[in-house]
Amino acid sequence: MGGVMPLVQLVIGLALVQFFFFLFAVGKARETYKVAAPATTGNEVFERYFRVQMNTLELLVVFIPAISIFSQYFGSYLGAGLGVVYLLGRIVYFTSYVKDPKSRSMGYGLSVLPIMILVVGAIVGAIRAAVLTL
Amino acid sequence: MGGVMPLVQLVIGLALVQFFFFLFAVGKARETYKVAAPATTGNEVFERYFRVQMNTLELLVVFIPAISIFSQYFGSYLGAGLGVVYLLGRIVYFTSYVKDPKSRSMGYGLSVLPIMILVVGAIVGAIRAAVLTL
Amino acid sequence: MGGVMPLVQLVIGLALVQFFFFLFAVGKARETYKVAAPATTGNEVFERYFRVQMNTLELLVVFIPAISIFSQYFGSYLGAGLGVVYLLGRIVYFTSYVKDPKSRSMGYGLSVLPIMILVVGAIVGAIRAAVLTL
């Protein structure tokens, strides 16, 4: 029983490590393509790495609270499972975006879809709990 | 009693949905104003949508932990109420910024003020709890 | 005992206040260096303030969940202590980056290192808890 939330925490931890990896990829691309700070534009390939990082930042801000609330109501096996789909979707997004921005749709969908389910589930769970206890 | 935290979770869930809406508005503006990824500049109207998204991202990162801690100490009716003010402030911010960036102040204030109260309350609550139990 | 988590909440609250300070510094730099919204480029010094804010945003998204999970497993004296190192590192980062972007490494390292420890600790703690209770 106590092992349920740790699974969700583990997936959150892995999502943070993955994001750190994207941050370092940007730092490396900054050197490779000679884009000196504070600039974030000037080289198209660098900008791809930068956009992957920014897009992941946007999703991470939604993913972490959503998976936490969702798992409280629907169990963390389901929550952690959806989280793993998000993690895989981000890997696909990263590799396809860096190769060709036009091919980023599938990885994007694969990481956004589980987040949408998590958000909707979090809201449904919270409404149900609020109504039951009012 | 158990219905208290779900209200805060519901407001957090709605803030995530709202942010998703802003993300999709950027995606749509990208197509309408022909700003191909990875660029985020080049069309003034597109940049307005983009800045609304970025500014909301910045506030969301503060809003979610602040409302969570605040509500633990000051109850979630007050927490959720301040959260609703934030949500309304963001709607005003979005509509006014997209129409004219110079008119964005009111919506900005209306969404930043409740966050400031939440942050200060969270700190006051945490200090009080830390002192009481040391 | 109850005084333990409040310490971590206090550090989180201070990190949010610090981030708000960086946001306002950007707003002030926007006026000083005449960079009208929605633009985020056009003046090199303004861009420094802007990059400090963005970089802090990126780290904050990792810092908050990481310190929360870490402290649950390793106690919040250690968690809060690492959080204070992060806060100081960000002050060094801000002042050195604004003065000269090339001197930003030390402040960056000082704020990233404690986050890495928090993330690794969170993952180790979660794995251990998951294994123990399966």
Side-chain angles (χ1 to χ4, degrees):
Chain A
M1 188 187 87
V4 170
M5 281 323 262
L7 277 181
V8 173
Q9 292 177 331
L10 177 57
V11 171
I12 291 174
L14 293 175
L16 300 179
V17 168
Q18 187 184 49
F19 180 60
F20 250 126
F21 174 82
F22 294 161
L23 286 178
F24 288 130
V26 171
K28 222 181 141 222
R30 200 176 263 292
E31 286 181 33
T32 310
Y33 302 102
K34 316 271 182 235
V35 181
T40 58
T41 51
N43 176 287
E44 224 268 350
V45 181
F46 169 78
E47 288 180 41
R48 294 176 191 178
Y49 284 92
F50 186 69
R51 286 306 306 156
V52 168
Q53 173 206 308
M54 291 307 299
N55 184 269
T56 304
L57 177 61
E58 290 154 20
L59 293 190
L60 210 49
V61 167
V62 178
F63 175 71
I64 294 173
I67 195 174
S68 304
I69 301 174
F70 178 96
S71 304
Q72 189 184 319
Y73 293 115
F74 295 92
S76 51
Y77 288 110
L78 191 52
L82 288 163
V84 169
V85 176
Y86 160 83
L87 288 172
L88 297 175
R90 280 290 102 180
I91 295 172
V92 175
Y93 183 76
F94 175 78
T95 46
S96 61
Y97 200 141
V98 166
K99 215 181 283 164
D100 176 15
K102 283 190 198 110
S103 71
R104 72 187 190 279
S105 306
M106 204 197 103
Y108 186 72
L110 204 58
S111 41
V112 166
L113 191 69
I115 294 186
M116 284 180 158
I117 299 171
L118 291 170
V119 170
V120 171
I123 290 178
V124 169
I127 290 178
R128 230 165 40 180
V131 168
L132 280 174
T133 51
L134 279 183
Chain B
M1 187 189 86
V4 170
M5 282 323 261
L7 277 182
V8 174
Q9 292 177 332
L10 177 58
V11 171
I12 290 174
L14 293 175
L16 299 180
V17 168
Q18 187 183 52
F19 180 61
F20 251 126
F21 175 82
F22 294 160
L23 286 179
F24 288 130
V26 170
K28 221 179 142 224
R30 201 176 262 290
E31 286 181 32
T32 310
Y33 303 103
K34 317 270 183 234
V35 181
T40 58
T41 52
N43 176 286
E44 224 269 349
V45 181
F46 169 79
E47 287 180 41
R48 294 177 192 176
Y49 284 92
F50 186 69
R51 284 306 307 154
V52 168
Q53 172 206 309
M54 290 308 298
N55 185 268
T56 304
L57 176 62
E58 290 154 22
L59 293 190
L60 209 50
V61 166
V62 178
F63 175 71
I64 294 173
I67 195 174
S68 304
I69 301 173
F70 178 96
S71 304
Q72 189 183 320
Y73 293 114
F74 294 94
S76 51
Y77 288 111
L78 192 52
L82 287 164
V84 168
V85 176
Y86 161 82
L87 288 172
L88 297 175
R90 278 292 102 179
I91 294 172
V92 175
Y93 183 76
F94 175 77
T95 48
S96 61
Y97 200 141
V98 166
K99 215 182 282 165
D100 176 15
K102 282 188 199 112
S103 71
R104 72 187 191 278
S105 305
M106 205 195 103
Y108 186 72
L110 204 58
S111 42
V112 166
L113 190 69
I115 293 186
M116 284 181 158
I117 299 172
L118 291 170
V119 170
V120 171
I123 290 177
V124 169
I127 290 178
R128 228 165 40 180
V131 168
L132 279 174
T133 52
L134 278 183
Chain C
M1 190 188 85
V4 170
M5 281 323 262
L7 276 182
V8 173
Q9 292 177 331
L10 178 57
V11 171
I12 290 174
L14 293 175
L16 299 180
V17 168
Q18 187 184 50
F19 180 60
F20 252 126
F21 174 83
F22 294 160
L23 286 179
F24 288 130
V26 171
K28 222 180 140 223
R30 200 176 263 291
E31 286 181 32
T32 309
Y33 302 103
K34 317 272 183 233
V35 180
T40 57
T41 51
N43 177 287
E44 223 268 350
V45 181
F46 169 78
E47 289 181 41
R48 293 177 192 177
Y49 283 93
F50 186 69
R51 285 306 308 154
V52 168
Q53 172 206 308
M54 289 310 297
N55 185 268
T56 304
L57 177 62
E58 291 153 20
L59 292 190
L60 209 50
V61 166
V62 179
F63 175 71
I64 294 174
I67 195 174
S68 304
I69 301 174
F70 177 96
S71 303
Q72 189 184 319
Y73 294 115
F74 294 92
S76 51
Y77 288 110
L78 191 53
L82 288 164
V84 169
V85 176
Y86 161 83
L87 287 172
L88 297 175
R90 280 290 103 180
I91 295 172
V92 175
Y93 183 75
F94 175 77
T95 46
S96 61
Y97 200 141
V98 166
K99 214 181 284 163
D100 175 16
K102 282 189 200 112
S103 71
R104 72 187 190 279
S105 306
M106 205 196 104
Y108 186 73
L110 205 57
S111 41
V112 165
L113 190 68
I115 293 185
M116 285 179 157
I117 299 171
L118 290 171
V119 170
V120 171
I123 290 177
V124 169
I127 291 178
R128 229 165 39 180
V131 168
L132 280 175
T133 51
L134 279 185

